[in-house]
Amino acid sequence: MLGHFNSIIAMAANAAKQTKLPMAATDSPNLTNDKNGPKKTTFQSCKATSVATNCDPRTNLPDLKWLGLYYVIYIGAGTLSFLALRNHIRGKKTNDFIDSLYMSVVTMTTVGYGDLVPHDFLSQVVCTGFITVGMLLFGIVVKLAAKYLVFKQQKVLINALHTARKMGPMEALNEIESIEIDYTKCIISLIAMAVHFVIGVSVLVNVEGMEIEDAVYCACTTMTTVGFGDESFSSEFGRMFGVLWIFTGTSCLGQLFLYVAEVYTDIEAKKLVKWVIASNIIDKKDFEAADNLEKGKVHGAADFILYKLKEVRKIKQEDISCAMKDAGVDDRSVFDVIPAQSSEKK
C-alpha cells in the first residue's frame, strides 16, 4: 500500500510541475497521525488554502478560440454551400441567404425541423458531408468537456495531498468534510434556460402567430433538439431570430449538462480524496491499544506491514495463519486486534 501511495504522490508531483501548483516534487506527506510529528500549521497558513479553491482547470485548458474559429468556418462554408444549392432545396423559403444560414444552424444543432430539405443527389451529398463534419466538431467539444472534468478532479487530489503534507492528514480530512458542493452554476444555468425559453415562446407567439400551446411545444422540441418539424420558424424575421435563438438554446442545454456532470465529479472527487488520505492513516493510539505490555507483546514494523497487506486484500488471513503455523508462531497479531478499514466504508 505504501508503494502504491508513493506512486500516487509521484504522479501528483509530476502533475503539479506541469500545472505549476505549489507542491513539492519529491516530498511525500506524512500520513501518520503521530503527536510527535512535525508541528502542525493552521489552515490559513498553507498555500493551498482550500482543497477546492485553487482548482480552476479552465485556466489550463486549450485555447477555445480555435474551436470557435472552426465553427465559424463550418457555418460559413455550410451557408455558402446551401446558398449555391438553393434551387436544389425544397421547402418554405423567405430570403435565400437567411434560409441558407438558418438551414446550416438547424442542421448543425441536430434540431432538423425538416422545413428545408435537400431533394436531389448533389444536395444530399453536400448535406451528408456537412453533417459528418459537424459530428466531428461535436466530438472535439465532448473531448474538451471530458478533459475539463478530469483535470478538475486531478487538481482536487493534488491540492488535497498538498494540504495533507502541510497540515497533517486529520486536518485535511476535516477540511475536505467541511467543503460543500457548489450548485450555483447549475442554478444560474437553469435560470438562463428559463429566460431563453420565455423569449422564444414570446417571439413564436407575436411574430410567427402561433397559439401559446403551440409556441411552448415548438420551443420545447427545439431546445431539446428533437425538432419534429410540424411547428417551426417560417417568416424572414423569425428565421433570423431562430438562427441566434436555436444556437444559444442548445448551447445552454449543453452547458447545463456540463454543470450537472461537474457537480457529480466534485462529489466523486471528494470521496476519492477522502479515501486516498484516510486509507493511509494509522493512528498511533491504535497500535498502542493493540500492544499488551503485561504479556510483553509489542507490535512492530512487521505487524504493520501485515496489517496493511491484509487491509488492501493482498493477502488473506488463511495465508498468514498457514505461514505462522509452519513457523511455529502465534498468528494473533495487530491485524486481528486493530479493526480493518473495510473497502465498503471507503
Side-chain angles (χ1 to χ4, degrees):
M1 183 65 185
L2 185 59
H4 174 66
F5 186 70
N6 285 336
S7 66
I8 295 177
I9 298 299
M11 289 187 293
N14 292 333
K17 287 182 179 179
Q18 296 176 1
T19 56
K20 298 180 180 180
L21 288 177
M23 178 178 179
T26 57
D27 295 338
S28 59
N30 179 16
L31 294 184
T32 54
N33 190 26
D34 194 344
K35 294 180 180 179
N36 297 325
K39 185 178 180 181
K40 299 176 182 178
T41 58
T42 61
F43 186 75
Q44 289 76 10
S45 64
C46 293
K47 291 182 180 179
T49 54
S50 173
V51 175
T53 52
N54 292 329
C55 297
D56 189 8
R58 288 170 292 186
T59 58
N60 293 280
L61 283 177
D63 193 354
L64 297 179
K65 292 181 180 179
W66 286 106
L67 181 62
L69 179 60
Y70 294 154
Y71 267 105
V72 170
I73 296 174
Y74 172 71
I75 290 294
T79 301
L80 294 178
S81 299
F82 292 137
L83 183 61
L85 297 172
R86 58 187 179 277
N87 296 326
H88 300 268
I89 296 174
R90 68 168 180 261
K92 186 175 180 180
K93 300 181 179 180
T94 57
N95 178 277
D96 290 339
F97 178 78
I98 293 175
D99 291 343
S100 301
L101 179 60
Y102 170 76
M103 185 175 179
S104 298
V105 172
V106 168
T107 304
M108 180 193 70
T109 57
T110 71
V111 172
Y113 285 128
D115 48 357
L116 293 173
V117 295
H119 70 89
D120 62 9
F121 178 73
L122 178 60
S123 57
Q124 288 174 351
V125 169
V126 172
C127 193
T128 300
F130 184 76
I131 294 171
T132 302
V133 174
M135 291 297 99
L136 294 177
L137 288 177
F138 181 73
I140 297 177
V141 174
V142 174
K143 174 186 175 182
L144 291 177
K147 188 170 184 177
Y148 169 78
L149 296 175
V150 172
F151 191 82
K152 182 175 182 179
Q153 189 176 43
Q154 289 174 343
K155 290 195 71 175
V156 169
L157 177 59
I158 291 170
N159 281 302
L161 295 177
H162 175 71
T163 303
R165 181 173 64 87
K166 287 288 184 178
M167 301 170 50
M170 296 307 298
E171 288 77 4
L173 284 176
N174 293 333
E175 175 62 20
I176 293 168
E177 191 67 33
S178 65
I179 295 175
E180 297 182 358
I181 303 300
D182 187 9
Y183 297 93
T184 304
K185 287 190 285 188
C186 288
I187 296 174
I188 293 175
S189 183
L190 284 172
I191 294 174
M193 284 190 62
V195 173
H196 190 275
F197 185 84
V198 171
I199 293 174
V201 171
S202 177
V203 172
L204 288 170
V205 171
N206 297 309
V207 176
E208 298 295 329
M210 295 184 186
E211 298 294 333
I212 183 66
E213 59 272 14
D214 293 334
V216 171
Y217 165 76
C218 180
C220 182
T221 56
T222 300
M223 293 186 67
T224 56
T225 72
V226 174
F228 287 120
D230 49 345
E231 299 288 351
S232 62
F233 297 94
S234 57
S235 66
E236 184 174 332
F237 177 81
R239 287 183 175 177
M240 289 177 61
F241 169 80
V243 167
L244 179 62
W245 186 77
I246 292 171
F247 182 78
T248 55
T250 53
S251 299
C252 285
L253 183 64
Q255 195 78 6
L256 176 62
F257 288 155
L258 176 63
Y259 290 152
V260 171
E262 184 178 358
V263 168
Y264 180 76
T265 301
D266 290 342
I267 295 174
E268 293 302 314
K270 186 176 179 180
K271 292 179 181 178
L272 175 64
V273 169
K274 290 171 62 178
W275 178 83
V276 169
I277 296 177
S279 63
N280 291 276
I281 294 176
I282 300 296
D283 204 308
K284 185 178 179 180
K285 66 177 183 296
D286 291 333
F287 281 102
E288 292 177 348
D291 293 338
N292 192 334
L293 299 179
E294 294 181 358
K295 296 183 179 181
K297 186 174 184 179
V298 179
H299 297 97
D303 294 310
F304 170 78
I305 294 173
L306 287 175
Y307 170 74
K308 295 301 293 183
L309 288 174
K310 184 180 178 183
E311 183 184 34
V312 297
R313 298 183 179 180
K314 295 295 184 181
I315 58 175
K316 298 180 181 180
Q317 179 63 41
E318 292 78 9
D319 300 328
I320 300 173
S321 299
C322 182
M324 293 295 187
K325 184 177 181 181
D326 293 340
V329 180
D330 182 14
D331 68 337
R332 180 173 176 79
S333 186
V334 65
F335 42 80
D336 289 325
V337 179
I338 301 177
Q341 299 177 5
S342 64
S343 58
E344 291 78 4
K345 291 184 179 180
K346 293 175 187 177

